[in-house]
Amino acid sequence: MKAEITPQEYEAFKSFLQDACGILLGENKQYLVKSRLRRILEENSLNTLGELLERLKRPGRGGLKEVVIDAMTTNETLWFRDNHPFRILQEKLLPEFAERNSGQPLRIWSAACSTGQEPYSIAMIVEEFRRARPGKLRDVKITATDISKSVLEVARKGEYEMIAIGRGLSPERQKQFFTPSLNGGWQIKPQIKSMVEFKELNLLERYMLGKFDIVMCRNVLIYFSADLKKDILTRMHATLNPGGYLVLGASESLNGLPHLYEMVQCHPGIIYRKK
């Protein structure tokens, strides 16, 4: 990007991004836009953000739009991020559903799954629960979604470099659930990988994913406006089975919708049960 971003260009790009994927850029984030879009502008022989926006308006530019959204939504993630949700899953939710469902399948949705660390972390917790309580939760399916094609490609492969493995994954779990790959990375084992199905999904669109017992939607709603957040949480409520649970990020809350969800204190941590 050869020129500085003008205020008009920045406002126009903010509108484009919110319309395309719901992300609400804050004020004075020009540096973030420049750093994430610099390569895209260079590859398309564009000098300014304004030129990119003009290119995006042309017919048949769906591929470029996806690349731009991909660049603006790709974030690093961790294994067992924030810890509390996974402790709650292991100590409260899985035992509850194991007794409540009595052989029925358990379905979990990991929304905004990025490169797969969250859904695979969930699958590891499920596998550990099964080993501790043989015969319980035999049928568990995790659906993991993200808007970014590139992160989904990484997630589907289930192969990670050592630097990614070290972010939140204990040596014990690395040994249990991964095998060394030929190129020096680590490959997740088949029994964990087979539990997770990855799908491309924009959270602003209608969901055709079926019904779930648990929805994990963490560290993504903070990027949306209040109205979009309410809309997404309302539609997620519709995907939950009766008595199902919603798990949000540590810094996120419902901010309303008391007619849809009941707060459940887990000491520490809070989750929400469908009313």
Side-chain angles (χ1 to χ4, degrees):
M1 189 177 295
K2 297 180 181 178
E4 291 299 316
I5 298 174
T6 68
Q8 294 79 13
E9 287 174 337
Y10 186 64
E11 289 302 316
F13 184 74
K14 283 174 61 179
S15 296
F16 159 79
L17 195 63
Q18 185 169 11
D19 291 343
C21 62
I23 288 182
L24 185 62
L25 276 177
E27 300 302 321
N28 303 316
K29 297 288 185 180
Q30 288 89 336
Y31 69 93
L32 178 67
V33 175
K34 286 187 70 171
S35 64
R36 294 200 174 188
L37 299 185
R38 180 177 288 109
R39 180 181 58 81
I40 296 172
L41 266 70
E42 291 174 354
E43 290 176 351
N44 288 273
S45 302
L46 300 170
N47 294 321
T48 68
L49 185 61
E51 289 179 14
L52 175 62
L53 289 166
E54 285 299 318
R55 185 76 61 89
L56 287 166
K57 292 177 183 177
R58 297 179 188 174
R61 291 294 170 179
L64 180 59
K65 178 181 176 180
E66 289 176 357
V67 171
V68 170
I69 293 172
D70 202 20
M72 294 304 301
T73 57
T74 301
N75 294 293
E76 291 190 357
T77 186
L78 307 171
W79 303 95
F80 301 92
R81 183 176 179 180
D82 300 329
N83 191 43
H84 291 324
F86 298 98
R87 179 191 57 79
I88 292 167
L89 182 67
Q90 189 168 41
E91 297 178 4
K92 173 178 171 55
L93 300 186
L94 294 185
E96 179 178 325
F97 282 107
E99 298 305 319
R100 187 205 300 183
N101 289 3
S102 185
Q104 293 297 312
L106 176 66
R107 295 205 65 205
I108 302 172
W109 176 15
S110 169
C113 67
S114 189
T115 46
Q117 280 87 335
E118 178 176 271
Y120 286 139
S121 296
I122 294 169
M124 291 180 215
I125 293 290
V126 170
E127 183 62 21
E128 289 170 352
F129 182 86
R130 286 169 167 172
R131 293 177 183 179
R133 300 178 67 171
K136 298 290 186 180
L137 297 181
R138 293 180 179 177
D139 187 358
V140 177
K141 190 65 179 179
I142 301 161
T143 300
T145 65
D146 202 279
I147 194 174
S148 168
K149 288 184 177 181
S150 64
V151 299
L152 289 173
E153 288 175 7
V154 174
R156 288 190 181 103
K157 285 181 66 177
E159 184 177 341
Y160 301 90
E161 296 179 357
M162 190 62 220
I163 190 170
I165 288 290
R167 292 172 179 155
L169 189 69
S170 68
E172 294 77 18
R173 281 177 169 146
Q174 180 183 341
K175 184 177 180 180
Q176 282 188 67
F177 299 120
F178 290 81
T179 55
S181 59
L182 295 176
N183 61 5
W186 289 84
Q187 176 70 52
I188 201 152
K189 289 185 176 180
Q191 74 263 33
I192 301 301
K193 193 174 183 182
S194 64
M195 245 185 277
V196 186
E197 179 184 18
F198 292 96
K199 294 184 177 182
E200 185 180 348
L201 180 74
N202 186 334
L203 288 175
L204 302 187
E205 298 170 355
R206 293 184 179 275
Y207 312 146
M208 302 294 289
L209 300 174
K211 290 287 190 175
F212 297 94
D213 301 293
I214 301 169
V215 173
M216 306 275 275
C217 181
R218 305 190 308 125
N219 307 304
V220 63
L221 294 179
I222 53 174
Y223 299 109
F224 296 146
S225 68
D227 287 343
L228 282 178
K229 186 187 304 184
K230 184 176 180 180
D231 179 56
I232 290 168
L233 290 172
T234 299
R235 283 185 283 126
M236 284 184 168
H237 177 272
T239 72
L240 281 168
N241 284 320
Y245 290 94
L246 171 69
V247 183
L248 300 179
S251 62
E252 297 166 324
S253 64
L254 286 181
N255 288 331
L257 305 177
H259 60 295
L260 298 183
Y261 295 97
E262 172 191 4
M263 183 185 294
V264 179
Q265 294 278 357
C266 295
H267 308 292
I270 296 171
I271 60 177
Y272 302 91
R273 183 190 293 118
K274 176 175 180 173
K275 285 188 176 180

